[in-house]
Amino acid sequence: MLECLEKQNEIITLKNLSVRYKNFYALKDINISIKEREVIGICGESGSGKTTLCKTIAGIEKYNGEIKFLKDLKFEFIFQDPTSSLNPKMLVKDIISEPLIVRERITKREVICEKIKKVVAEVGLDSSIIEKYPHQISGGQKQRVAIARSIVCEPDILLCDEITSSLDISVQAQILNLLKDIYEKRNLTMIFVSHDIFALYYISTTIIVLYKGMILEKGKADEVIKNPKHPYTKILISSILTTERECIDIEVRENKTKSRCIFSDRCFIYDKECDSFENELINVSDTHYARCIKV
Amino acid sequence: MENLLEIRNLSIDAKIDNNFYNIIKDIDIRVKKGEMVGIVGESGSGKTITSLAIIKLLEKNLFIKNGEIIFEGKNIMELDDDEMRKLRGREISFVFQEVLTALNPVMDIETQVSEVLIHHRICDKERAIQKTTKILKELGIPLDKLKHYPHNFSGGQRQRILIAISLIGDPKLIIADEPTTALDVITQIEILKILKKIKEEGKSIILITHNISIVRNFSDYVYIMYLGEIMESGKTLDVMSNPIHPYTKLLLNSIVTLEKKDRLKPIEGNIPSIYEIPTGCRFITRCPFKTDKCIKEPPIKNKEGRYFRCWNV
């Protein structure tokens, strides 16, 4: 899958993108090119700019810099909390058909019914669910409804913002499998935001690590997870708890630094050399970058 | 080792619209001195209700049907409100789930932490402030921020402040309900390490979480709950390396790891709501190994220190 990706066309490029709220940069110096059929996984801690990046790409956030669409693209969003993203006063069938009516301006009832029936089956729900209200169904089912709503208009790009975070563990795997099926079946490009590295690794082809609004590391999923270069990514990956191994001891330092490196105050390999760092992304390989002088 | 806390045969009913629904069924939990006990379960498993029953803070529509909770030889059920108030914070303390709402937003943190000591008349105000300063320093809160309000602190720091509040009365048992759920992975580890250190200093901890990996790494003993029942219990490493109950097996199997990238194996179906709790084995609606026997209530079996509730293993 990865090999064929390289030959594929870029469909979106972000150049020198930044988002600023007064004096605070929520995103800074973001350069990404998104290719067709790519799944971009974005991880980082809270406040790192994951959601802002997602929103900016979808065009619902003011930004400086350049976003270039090289093709006519249709976006859809799936949100974190299915309970608050579905209107409690609407039946499931109305929720799913709303984008068809509002966006596609389809008026024929038979066409709408047919489309609803098709996506409800595709997301693995029973057809009886369309006559129910959101409060009558479980969290996992709600997230399936949200996914059905997002694919009913046949989008080109799906933006998924922490879509498994509020679900139970046994249901998370169901939703991830479903998302992968939809990706394989439809001609989709995805942006998948999550703080859960497991989910990210399972679904993504490319991984971007954000920290304080900047990209600290970017590369193919295997490169970033199996061979992380930035100290922050290393800490992030070793601090994940699993059921299979003992917890690895990690060191988080508190340095007093004047370095321009944004991670230098917590970095465990910080030394004098870092003070001369220009805080730029450095190539590790053709596809792998890290913002660290020591790579 | 001696049992500090013993829950025997506890059942709790919820009263909704004049109907009773059984949300906790016949559970047995033991906590020894200096032990970290993990209670793992998904939503609706009853892990939080169980912990609230221990400190008698159940909602008014929840009723204890049978069972007893013995803390240091005293039956908590027989204590009145005054006696309970003396117990809470001093003998048993609680670290609540939501870091954002558990702290009082209009009280500085020094006052909030020392309040426990002053309320319980453990010491005078001056001494209380001294103790507060010491404990917050140990937990890594900068001392120049003692007069600050909760909104000045990050999520991880707020959680440390909550831990300080639970520790300062020098209790014997600390119940931590999802203490790291809203935190980032790196902060999560730091908080869990603090709890581990507290345990190693001789306190008992009940760690309630939906995250089985946390339990794997930090607790000594584990109870796996599903829909108000304990499906399996045992020493953590035994349960993780050799799960007996189908639910535990499937749960461990459904977790995404960094080692395998083929298809995930989720547990099919959804967790039933409390209105549709099945009779017999409560996992029957999702269990691929179910047989005709399973419509009857499964017996609790005991094998080499492991307890589990299943007909077929």
Side-chain angles (χ1 to χ4, degrees), chain A residues 45-46 168-170 174 177 181 198 201-202 226 242-243 245 247 249, chain B residues 42-43 184 193 210 216-217 256 258 261-264 267 269 271 286:
Chain A
E45 49 193 66
S46 46
D168 278 310
I169 334 167
S170 70
Q174 290 177 7
N177 274 347
D181 288 344
F198 292 140
Y201 183 54
Y202 176 66
K226 298 288 178 197
T242 80
T243 49
R245 59 160 161 80
C247 167
D249 234 354
Chain B
E42 302 181 85
S43 52
D184 296 310
K193 279 189 180 157
H210 68 278
R216 153 72 176 82
N217 284 280
V256 200
L258 288 181
K261 216 191 171 178
D262 44 349
R263 243 182 124 63
L264 305 176
I267 306 179
I271 303 166
R286 299 173 82 188

PDB file of all heavy atoms in Angstrom, chain A residues 45-46 168-170 174 177 181 198 201-202 226 242-243 245 247 249, chain B residues 42-43 184 193 210 216-217 256 258 261-264 267 269 271 286:
ATOM      1  N   GLU A  45      -0.298  15.916  22.649  1.00  0.00           N
ATOM      2  CA  GLU A  45      -1.070  16.042  23.880  1.00  0.00           C
ATOM      3  C   GLU A  45      -2.120  17.138  23.743  1.00  0.00           C
ATOM      4  O   GLU A  45      -2.169  17.821  22.724  1.00  0.00           O
ATOM      5  CB  GLU A  45      -0.148  16.282  25.072  1.00  0.00           C
ATOM      6  CG  GLU A  45       0.876  17.369  24.900  1.00  0.00           C
ATOM      7  CD  GLU A  45       1.940  17.303  26.000  1.00  0.00           C
ATOM      8  OE1 GLU A  45       2.706  16.319  26.054  1.00  0.00           O
ATOM      9  OE2 GLU A  45       1.975  18.235  26.798  1.00  0.00           O
ATOM     10  N   SER A  46      -2.960  17.302  24.758  1.00  0.00           N
ATOM     11  CA  SER A  46      -4.018  18.297  24.636  1.00  0.00           C
ATOM     12  C   SER A  46      -3.401  19.684  24.528  1.00  0.00           C
ATOM     13  O   SER A  46      -2.419  19.993  25.196  1.00  0.00           O
ATOM     14  CB  SER A  46      -4.986  18.215  25.809  1.00  0.00           C
ATOM     15  OG  SER A  46      -4.297  18.132  27.009  1.00  0.00           O
ATOM     16  N   ASP A 168     -16.117   2.644  24.787  1.00  0.00           N
ATOM     17  CA  ASP A 168     -15.555   1.569  25.596  1.00  0.00           C
ATOM     18  C   ASP A 168     -14.520   0.787  24.800  1.00  0.00           C
ATOM     19  O   ASP A 168     -14.601   0.707  23.583  1.00  0.00           O
ATOM     20  CB  ASP A 168     -16.665   0.632  26.036  1.00  0.00           C
ATOM     21  CG  ASP A 168     -17.390   1.170  27.248  1.00  0.00           C
ATOM     22  OD1 ASP A 168     -16.700   1.538  28.203  1.00  0.00           O
ATOM     23  OD2 ASP A 168     -18.624   1.226  27.223  1.00  0.00           O
ATOM     24  N   ILE A 169     -13.574   0.177  25.531  1.00  0.00           N
ATOM     25  CA  ILE A 169     -12.482  -0.520  24.844  1.00  0.00           C
ATOM     26  C   ILE A 169     -12.992  -1.558  23.861  1.00  0.00           C
ATOM     27  O   ILE A 169     -12.496  -1.666  22.756  1.00  0.00           O
ATOM     28  CB  ILE A 169     -11.545  -1.294  25.813  1.00  0.00           C
ATOM     29  CG1 ILE A 169     -11.561  -0.680  27.206  1.00  0.00           C
ATOM     30  CG2 ILE A 169     -10.145  -1.370  25.265  1.00  0.00           C
ATOM     31  CD1 ILE A 169     -10.920  -1.579  28.230  1.00  0.00           C
ATOM     32  N   SER A 170     -13.990  -2.334  24.283  1.00  0.00           N
ATOM     33  CA  SER A 170     -14.432  -3.424  23.412  1.00  0.00           C
ATOM     34  C   SER A 170     -15.128  -2.884  22.167  1.00  0.00           C
ATOM     35  O   SER A 170     -15.246  -3.570  21.168  1.00  0.00           O
ATOM     36  CB  SER A 170     -15.357  -4.377  24.172  1.00  0.00           C
ATOM     37  OG  SER A 170     -16.586  -3.775  24.445  1.00  0.00           O
ATOM     38  N   GLN A 174     -14.170  -2.239  17.261  1.00  0.00           N
ATOM     39  CA  GLN A 174     -15.221  -2.356  16.231  1.00  0.00           C
ATOM     40  C   GLN A 174     -15.204  -1.144  15.299  1.00  0.00           C
ATOM     41  O   GLN A 174     -15.262  -1.283  14.080  1.00  0.00           O
ATOM     42  CB  GLN A 174     -16.618  -2.404  16.877  1.00  0.00           C
ATOM     43  CG  GLN A 174     -16.940  -3.658  17.650  1.00  0.00           C
ATOM     44  CD  GLN A 174     -18.317  -3.567  18.306  1.00  0.00           C
ATOM     45  OE1 GLN A 174     -19.071  -2.627  18.082  1.00  0.00           O
ATOM     46  NE2 GLN A 174     -18.648  -4.551  19.117  1.00  0.00           N
ATOM     47  N   ASN A 177     -12.099  -1.015  13.026  1.00  0.00           N
ATOM     48  CA  ASN A 177     -12.237  -1.956  11.909  1.00  0.00           C
ATOM     49  C   ASN A 177     -13.169  -1.408  10.845  1.00  0.00           C
ATOM     50  O   ASN A 177     -12.894  -1.501   9.650  1.00  0.00           O
ATOM     51  CB  ASN A 177     -12.780  -3.301  12.409  1.00  0.00           C
ATOM     52  CG  ASN A 177     -11.677  -4.217  12.892  1.00  0.00           C
ATOM     53  OD1 ASN A 177     -10.504  -3.958  12.634  1.00  0.00           O
ATOM     54  ND2 ASN A 177     -12.038  -5.264  13.595  1.00  0.00           N
ATOM     55  N   ASP A 181     -12.449  -0.593   6.909  1.00  0.00           N
ATOM     56  CA  ASP A 181     -13.258  -1.157   5.815  1.00  0.00           C
ATOM     57  C   ASP A 181     -13.731  -0.067   4.873  1.00  0.00           C
ATOM     58  O   ASP A 181     -13.653  -0.211   3.654  1.00  0.00           O
ATOM     59  CB  ASP A 181     -14.492  -1.877   6.373  1.00  0.00           C
ATOM     60  CG  ASP A 181     -14.114  -3.182   7.046  1.00  0.00           C
ATOM     61  OD1 ASP A 181     -12.982  -3.647   6.810  1.00  0.00           O
ATOM     62  OD2 ASP A 181     -14.935  -3.723   7.805  1.00  0.00           O
ATOM     63  N   PHE A 198      -1.936   3.666  19.621  1.00  0.00           N
ATOM     64  CA  PHE A 198      -2.296   2.365  19.072  1.00  0.00           C
ATOM     65  C   PHE A 198      -3.251   2.512  17.898  1.00  0.00           C
ATOM     66  O   PHE A 198      -3.046   1.944  16.834  1.00  0.00           O
ATOM     67  CB  PHE A 198      -2.976   1.496  20.134  1.00  0.00           C
ATOM     68  CG  PHE A 198      -2.070   1.065  21.246  1.00  0.00           C
ATOM     69  CD1 PHE A 198      -2.517   1.048  22.548  1.00  0.00           C
ATOM     70  CD2 PHE A 198      -0.774   0.663  20.977  1.00  0.00           C
ATOM     71  CE1 PHE A 198      -1.693   0.639  23.573  1.00  0.00           C
ATOM     72  CE2 PHE A 198       0.055   0.246  21.995  1.00  0.00           C
ATOM     73  CZ  PHE A 198      -0.411   0.235  23.302  1.00  0.00           C
ATOM     74  N   TYR A 201      -1.597   4.140  14.879  1.00  0.00           N
ATOM     75  CA  TYR A 201      -0.694   3.262  14.148  1.00  0.00           C
ATOM     76  C   TYR A 201      -1.477   2.249  13.325  1.00  0.00           C
ATOM     77  O   TYR A 201      -1.096   1.894  12.219  1.00  0.00           O
ATOM     78  CB  TYR A 201       0.228   2.551  15.132  1.00  0.00           C
ATOM     79  CG  TYR A 201       1.264   1.674  14.489  1.00  0.00           C
ATOM     80  CD1 TYR A 201       2.129   2.175  13.521  1.00  0.00           C
ATOM     81  CD2 TYR A 201       1.390   0.344  14.861  1.00  0.00           C
ATOM     82  CE1 TYR A 201       3.087   1.369  12.935  1.00  0.00           C
ATOM     83  CE2 TYR A 201       2.346  -0.466  14.276  1.00  0.00           C
ATOM     84  CZ  TYR A 201       3.186   0.048  13.317  1.00  0.00           C
ATOM     85  OH  TYR A 201       4.118  -0.752  12.735  1.00  0.00           O
ATOM     86  N   TYR A 202      -2.587   1.810  13.876  1.00  0.00           N
ATOM     87  CA  TYR A 202      -3.404   0.815  13.180  1.00  0.00           C
ATOM     88  C   TYR A 202      -3.979   1.378  11.882  1.00  0.00           C
ATOM     89  O   TYR A 202      -4.059   0.687  10.876  1.00  0.00           O
ATOM     90  CB  TYR A 202      -4.541   0.361  14.107  1.00  0.00           C
ATOM     91  CG  TYR A 202      -5.520  -0.593  13.467  1.00  0.00           C
ATOM     92  CD1 TYR A 202      -5.128  -1.865  13.080  1.00  0.00           C
ATOM     93  CD2 TYR A 202      -6.834  -0.207  13.243  1.00  0.00           C
ATOM     94  CE1 TYR A 202      -6.016  -2.728  12.488  1.00  0.00           C
ATOM     95  CE2 TYR A 202      -7.733  -1.068  12.645  1.00  0.00           C
ATOM     96  CZ  TYR A 202      -7.319  -2.333  12.277  1.00  0.00           C
ATOM     97  OH  TYR A 202      -8.205  -3.178  11.684  1.00  0.00           O
ATOM     98  N   LYS A 226       8.187   2.782  14.871  1.00  0.00           N
ATOM     99  CA  LYS A 226       9.229   1.779  15.124  1.00  0.00           C
ATOM    100  C   LYS A 226      10.616   2.399  15.276  1.00  0.00           C
ATOM    101  O   LYS A 226      11.500   1.810  15.873  1.00  0.00           O
ATOM    102  CB  LYS A 226       9.260   0.755  13.981  1.00  0.00           C
ATOM    103  CG  LYS A 226       7.978  -0.040  13.828  1.00  0.00           C
ATOM    104  CD  LYS A 226       7.817  -1.048  14.957  1.00  0.00           C
ATOM    105  CE  LYS A 226       6.494  -1.788  14.798  1.00  0.00           C
ATOM    106  NZ  LYS A 226       6.086  -2.475  16.014  1.00  0.00           N
ATOM    107  N   THR A 242       1.052  -1.038  27.953  1.00  0.00           N
ATOM    108  CA  THR A 242       0.425  -2.134  27.229  1.00  0.00           C
ATOM    109  C   THR A 242       0.195  -3.277  28.196  1.00  0.00           C
ATOM    110  O   THR A 242       0.686  -3.269  29.318  1.00  0.00           O
ATOM    111  CB  THR A 242       1.303  -2.651  26.067  1.00  0.00           C
ATOM    112  OG1 THR A 242       2.294  -3.504  26.627  1.00  0.00           O
ATOM    113  CG2 THR A 242       1.951  -1.530  25.312  1.00  0.00           C
ATOM    114  N   THR A 243      -0.545  -4.257  27.732  1.00  0.00           N
ATOM    115  CA  THR A 243      -0.774  -5.420  28.587  1.00  0.00           C
ATOM    116  C   THR A 243       0.350  -6.431  28.419  1.00  0.00           C
ATOM    117  O   THR A 243       0.389  -7.435  29.084  1.00  0.00           O
ATOM    118  CB  THR A 243      -2.102  -6.091  28.217  1.00  0.00           C
ATOM    119  OG1 THR A 243      -2.135  -6.265  26.806  1.00  0.00           O
ATOM    120  CG2 THR A 243      -3.276  -5.250  28.648  1.00  0.00           C
ATOM    121  N   ARG A 245       3.968  -5.721  28.123  1.00  0.00           N
ATOM    122  CA  ARG A 245       5.288  -5.526  28.708  1.00  0.00           C
ATOM    123  C   ARG A 245       5.203  -4.647  29.957  1.00  0.00           C
ATOM    124  O   ARG A 245       4.226  -3.961  30.173  1.00  0.00           O
ATOM    125  CB  ARG A 245       6.227  -4.895  27.690  1.00  0.00           C
ATOM    126  CG  ARG A 245       5.744  -3.541  27.163  1.00  0.00           C
ATOM    127  CD  ARG A 245       6.898  -2.742  26.569  1.00  0.00           C
ATOM    128  NE  ARG A 245       6.462  -1.681  25.687  1.00  0.00           N
ATOM    129  CZ  ARG A 245       6.018  -0.496  26.086  1.00  0.00           C
ATOM    130  NH1 ARG A 245       5.885  -0.226  27.365  1.00  0.00           N
ATOM    131  NH2 ARG A 245       5.667   0.428  25.203  1.00  0.00           N
ATOM    132  N   CYS A 247       6.057  -1.484  32.313  1.00  0.00           N
ATOM    133  CA  CYS A 247       6.160  -0.061  32.046  1.00  0.00           C
ATOM    134  C   CYS A 247       7.638   0.335  31.961  1.00  0.00           C
ATOM    135  O   CYS A 247       8.452  -0.053  32.785  1.00  0.00           O
ATOM    136  CB  CYS A 247       5.475   0.664  33.187  1.00  0.00           C
ATOM    137  SG  CYS A 247       5.769   2.388  33.261  1.00  0.00           S
ATOM    138  N   ASP A 249      10.740   2.817  32.210  1.00  0.00           N
ATOM    139  CA  ASP A 249      11.027   4.016  32.998  1.00  0.00           C
ATOM    140  C   ASP A 249      11.447   5.158  32.078  1.00  0.00           C
ATOM    141  O   ASP A 249      12.388   5.015  31.305  1.00  0.00           O
ATOM    142  CB  ASP A 249      12.147   3.708  33.995  1.00  0.00           C
ATOM    143  CG  ASP A 249      11.704   4.066  35.394  1.00  0.00           C
ATOM    144  OD1 ASP A 249      10.605   4.631  35.537  1.00  0.00           O
ATOM    145  OD2 ASP A 249      12.459   3.777  36.341  1.00  0.00           O
TER     146      ASP A 249
ATOM    147  N   GLU B  42     -15.910  -1.731  31.761  1.00  0.00           N
ATOM    148  CA  GLU B  42     -16.339  -0.738  30.789  1.00  0.00           C
ATOM    149  C   GLU B  42     -17.481   0.069  31.408  1.00  0.00           C
ATOM    150  O   GLU B  42     -17.816  -0.125  32.561  1.00  0.00           O
ATOM    151  CB  GLU B  42     -16.787  -1.466  29.519  1.00  0.00           C
ATOM    152  CG  GLU B  42     -15.676  -2.315  28.940  1.00  0.00           C
ATOM    153  CD  GLU B  42     -16.091  -3.020  27.670  1.00  0.00           C
ATOM    154  OE1 GLU B  42     -15.986  -2.414  26.615  1.00  0.00           O
ATOM    155  OE2 GLU B  42     -16.517  -4.178  27.743  1.00  0.00           O
ATOM    156  N   SER B  43     -18.089   0.951  30.611  1.00  0.00           N
ATOM    157  CA  SER B  43     -19.154   1.751  31.204  1.00  0.00           C
ATOM    158  C   SER B  43     -20.327   0.851  31.581  1.00  0.00           C
ATOM    159  O   SER B  43     -20.627  -0.125  30.903  1.00  0.00           O
ATOM    160  CB  SER B  43     -19.592   2.849  30.236  1.00  0.00           C
ATOM    161  OG  SER B  43     -19.893   2.302  28.989  1.00  0.00           O
ATOM    162  N   ASP B 184      -2.813  13.474  29.520  1.00  0.00           N
ATOM    163  CA  ASP B 184      -1.966  13.004  28.429  1.00  0.00           C
ATOM    164  C   ASP B 184      -1.113  11.829  28.890  1.00  0.00           C
ATOM    165  O   ASP B 184      -0.851  11.688  30.083  1.00  0.00           O
ATOM    166  CB  ASP B 184      -1.045  14.132  27.969  1.00  0.00           C
ATOM    167  CG  ASP B 184      -1.842  15.275  27.401  1.00  0.00           C
ATOM    168  OD1 ASP B 184      -2.696  15.013  26.555  1.00  0.00           O
ATOM    169  OD2 ASP B 184      -1.619  16.414  27.815  1.00  0.00           O
ATOM    170  N   LYS B 193       2.836   6.762  38.816  1.00  0.00           N
ATOM    171  CA  LYS B 193       4.048   6.497  39.604  1.00  0.00           C
ATOM    172  C   LYS B 193       3.918   7.067  41.015  1.00  0.00           C
ATOM    173  O   LYS B 193       4.414   6.475  41.976  1.00  0.00           O
ATOM    174  CB  LYS B 193       5.259   7.088  38.904  1.00  0.00           C
ATOM    175  CG  LYS B 193       5.750   6.187  37.799  1.00  0.00           C
ATOM    176  CD  LYS B 193       7.069   6.671  37.273  1.00  0.00           C
ATOM    177  CE  LYS B 193       7.558   5.757  36.171  1.00  0.00           C
ATOM    178  NZ  LYS B 193       8.503   6.455  35.300  1.00  0.00           N
ATOM    179  N   HIS B 210     -10.971   2.008  33.303  1.00  0.00           N
ATOM    180  CA  HIS B 210     -11.449   1.215  32.180  1.00  0.00           C
ATOM    181  C   HIS B 210     -10.255   0.711  31.374  1.00  0.00           C
ATOM    182  O   HIS B 210     -10.405  -0.047  30.437  1.00  0.00           O
ATOM    183  CB  HIS B 210     -12.361   2.054  31.291  1.00  0.00           C
ATOM    184  CG  HIS B 210     -11.619   3.145  30.584  1.00  0.00           C
ATOM    185  ND1 HIS B 210     -11.321   4.345  31.192  1.00  0.00           N
ATOM    186  CD2 HIS B 210     -11.067   3.206  29.364  1.00  0.00           C
ATOM    187  CE1 HIS B 210     -10.630   5.088  30.349  1.00  0.00           C
ATOM    188  NE2 HIS B 210     -10.457   4.437  29.227  1.00  0.00           N
ATOM    189  N   ARG B 216      -2.547  -3.646  34.425  1.00  0.00           N
ATOM    190  CA  ARG B 216      -1.474  -4.600  34.149  1.00  0.00           C
ATOM    191  C   ARG B 216      -0.142  -4.112  34.732  1.00  0.00           C
ATOM    192  O   ARG B 216       0.634  -4.874  35.264  1.00  0.00           O
ATOM    193  CB  ARG B 216      -1.359  -4.811  32.638  1.00  0.00           C
ATOM    194  CG  ARG B 216      -0.003  -5.232  32.089  1.00  0.00           C
ATOM    195  CD  ARG B 216       0.315  -6.681  32.454  1.00  0.00           C
ATOM    196  NE  ARG B 216       1.554  -7.145  31.870  1.00  0.00           N
ATOM    197  CZ  ARG B 216       2.772  -6.918  32.376  1.00  0.00           C
ATOM    198  NH1 ARG B 216       2.902  -6.207  33.477  1.00  0.00           N
ATOM    199  NH2 ARG B 216       3.832  -7.398  31.792  1.00  0.00           N
ATOM    200  N   ASN B 217       0.093  -2.805  34.607  1.00  0.00           N
ATOM    201  CA  ASN B 217       1.378  -2.267  35.001  1.00  0.00           C
ATOM    202  C   ASN B 217       1.470  -1.817  36.452  1.00  0.00           C
ATOM    203  O   ASN B 217       2.550  -1.646  36.972  1.00  0.00           O
ATOM    204  CB  ASN B 217       1.756  -1.103  34.085  1.00  0.00           C
ATOM    205  CG  ASN B 217       2.219  -1.571  32.729  1.00  0.00           C
ATOM    206  OD1 ASN B 217       3.349  -1.978  32.568  1.00  0.00           O
ATOM    207  ND2 ASN B 217       1.321  -1.574  31.770  1.00  0.00           N
ATOM    208  N   VAL B 256      -5.776  -2.889  20.915  1.00  0.00           N
ATOM    209  CA  VAL B 256      -4.842  -2.604  19.827  1.00  0.00           C
ATOM    210  C   VAL B 256      -3.443  -2.525  20.422  1.00  0.00           C
ATOM    211  O   VAL B 256      -3.239  -1.951  21.476  1.00  0.00           O
ATOM    212  CB  VAL B 256      -5.167  -1.234  19.189  1.00  0.00           C
ATOM    213  CG1 VAL B 256      -4.580  -1.131  17.808  1.00  0.00           C
ATOM    214  CG2 VAL B 256      -6.650  -0.984  19.168  1.00  0.00           C
ATOM    215  N   LEU B 258       1.011  -2.195  19.484  1.00  0.00           N
ATOM    216  CA  LEU B 258       1.939  -1.715  18.472  1.00  0.00           C
ATOM    217  C   LEU B 258       2.599  -2.861  17.714  1.00  0.00           C
ATOM    218  O   LEU B 258       3.322  -2.666  16.775  1.00  0.00           O
ATOM    219  CB  LEU B 258       3.021  -0.848  19.115  1.00  0.00           C
ATOM    220  CG  LEU B 258       2.570   0.534  19.586  1.00  0.00           C
ATOM    221  CD1 LEU B 258       3.733   1.290  20.173  1.00  0.00           C
ATOM    222  CD2 LEU B 258       1.959   1.322  18.444  1.00  0.00           C
ATOM    223  N   LYS B 261      -0.487  -5.401  13.194  1.00  0.00           N
ATOM    224  CA  LYS B 261      -1.198  -4.364  12.452  1.00  0.00           C
ATOM    225  C   LYS B 261      -2.236  -4.940  11.503  1.00  0.00           C
ATOM    226  O   LYS B 261      -2.774  -4.255  10.663  1.00  0.00           O
ATOM    227  CB  LYS B 261      -0.204  -3.476  11.689  1.00  0.00           C
ATOM    228  CG  LYS B 261      -0.671  -2.039  11.673  1.00  0.00           C
ATOM    229  CD  LYS B 261       0.124  -1.198  10.721  1.00  0.00           C
ATOM    230  CE  LYS B 261      -0.535   0.161  10.577  1.00  0.00           C
ATOM    231  NZ  LYS B 261       0.177   1.065   9.707  1.00  0.00           N
ATOM    232  N   ASP B 262      -2.512  -6.224  11.605  1.00  0.00           N
ATOM    233  CA  ASP B 262      -3.600  -6.793  10.801  1.00  0.00           C
ATOM    234  C   ASP B 262      -4.940  -6.411  11.425  1.00  0.00           C
ATOM    235  O   ASP B 262      -5.029  -5.446  12.147  1.00  0.00           O
ATOM    236  CB  ASP B 262      -3.440  -8.315  10.685  1.00  0.00           C
ATOM    237  CG  ASP B 262      -3.087  -8.946  12.012  1.00  0.00           C
ATOM    238  OD1 ASP B 262      -2.762  -8.182  12.939  1.00  0.00           O
ATOM    239  OD2 ASP B 262      -3.134 -10.173  12.140  1.00  0.00           O
ATOM    240  N   ARG B 263      -5.970  -7.134  11.156  1.00  0.00           N
ATOM    241  CA  ARG B 263      -7.288  -6.733  11.642  1.00  0.00           C
ATOM    242  C   ARG B 263      -7.445  -6.882  13.144  1.00  0.00           C
ATOM    243  O   ARG B 263      -6.894  -7.792  13.750  1.00  0.00           O
ATOM    244  CB  ARG B 263      -8.348  -7.574  10.942  1.00  0.00           C
ATOM    245  CG  ARG B 263      -9.267  -6.739  10.096  1.00  0.00           C
ATOM    246  CD  ARG B 263     -10.326  -7.586   9.474  1.00  0.00           C
ATOM    247  NE  ARG B 263     -11.655  -7.108   9.807  1.00  0.00           N
ATOM    248  CZ  ARG B 263     -12.122  -5.926   9.447  1.00  0.00           C
ATOM    249  NH1 ARG B 263     -11.383  -5.094   8.791  1.00  0.00           N
ATOM    250  NH2 ARG B 263     -13.340  -5.556   9.761  1.00  0.00           N
ATOM    251  N   LEU B 264      -8.212  -5.977  13.755  1.00  0.00           N
ATOM    252  CA  LEU B 264      -8.467  -6.068  15.185  1.00  0.00           C
ATOM    253  C   LEU B 264      -9.567  -7.094  15.442  1.00  0.00           C
ATOM    254  O   LEU B 264     -10.356  -7.395  14.561  1.00  0.00           O
ATOM    255  CB  LEU B 264      -8.912  -4.721  15.726  1.00  0.00           C
ATOM    256  CG  LEU B 264      -7.998  -3.543  15.455  1.00  0.00           C
ATOM    257  CD1 LEU B 264      -8.633  -2.273  15.972  1.00  0.00           C
ATOM    258  CD2 LEU B 264      -6.658  -3.751  16.111  1.00  0.00           C
ATOM    259  N   ILE B 267     -14.867  -7.336  20.577  1.00  0.00           N
ATOM    260  CA  ILE B 267     -15.966  -8.139  21.118  1.00  0.00           C
ATOM    261  C   ILE B 267     -17.211  -7.683  20.387  1.00  0.00           C
ATOM    262  O   ILE B 267     -17.517  -6.495  20.369  1.00  0.00           O
ATOM    263  CB  ILE B 267     -16.136  -7.912  22.633  1.00  0.00           C
ATOM    264  CG1 ILE B 267     -14.804  -8.148  23.354  1.00  0.00           C
ATOM    265  CG2 ILE B 267     -17.223  -8.805  23.195  1.00  0.00           C
ATOM    266  CD1 ILE B 267     -14.874  -7.916  24.854  1.00  0.00           C
ATOM    267  N   GLY B 269     -21.094  -6.940  19.316  1.00  0.00           N
ATOM    268  CA  GLY B 269     -22.280  -6.497  20.056  1.00  0.00           C
ATOM    269  C   GLY B 269     -22.002  -5.318  20.956  1.00  0.00           C
ATOM    270  O   GLY B 269     -20.912  -4.774  20.992  1.00  0.00           O
ATOM    271  N   ILE B 271     -22.768  -3.329  24.937  1.00  0.00           N
ATOM    272  CA  ILE B 271     -23.057  -3.580  26.340  1.00  0.00           C
ATOM    273  C   ILE B 271     -24.544  -3.298  26.573  1.00  0.00           C
ATOM    274  O   ILE B 271     -25.015  -2.217  26.244  1.00  0.00           O
ATOM    275  CB  ILE B 271     -22.209  -2.647  27.226  1.00  0.00           C
ATOM    276  CG1 ILE B 271     -20.726  -2.851  26.922  1.00  0.00           C
ATOM    277  CG2 ILE B 271     -22.504  -2.873  28.693  1.00  0.00           C
ATOM    278  CD1 ILE B 271     -19.842  -1.763  27.473  1.00  0.00           C
ATOM    279  N   ARG B 286     -23.087 -11.507  24.360  1.00  0.00           N
ATOM    280  CA  ARG B 286     -21.926 -11.240  23.508  1.00  0.00           C
ATOM    281  C   ARG B 286     -20.934 -12.395  23.480  1.00  0.00           C
ATOM    282  O   ARG B 286     -19.904 -12.314  22.823  1.00  0.00           O
ATOM    283  CB  ARG B 286     -21.204  -9.977  24.001  1.00  0.00           C
ATOM    284  CG  ARG B 286     -22.080  -8.739  23.944  1.00  0.00           C
ATOM    285  CD  ARG B 286     -21.405  -7.560  24.583  1.00  0.00           C
ATOM    286  NE  ARG B 286     -20.478  -6.897  23.689  1.00  0.00           N
ATOM    287  CZ  ARG B 286     -19.660  -5.924  24.083  1.00  0.00           C
ATOM    288  NH1 ARG B 286     -19.660  -5.516  25.333  1.00  0.00           N
ATOM    289  NH2 ARG B 286     -18.843  -5.356  23.223  1.00  0.00           N
TER     290      ARG B 286
END
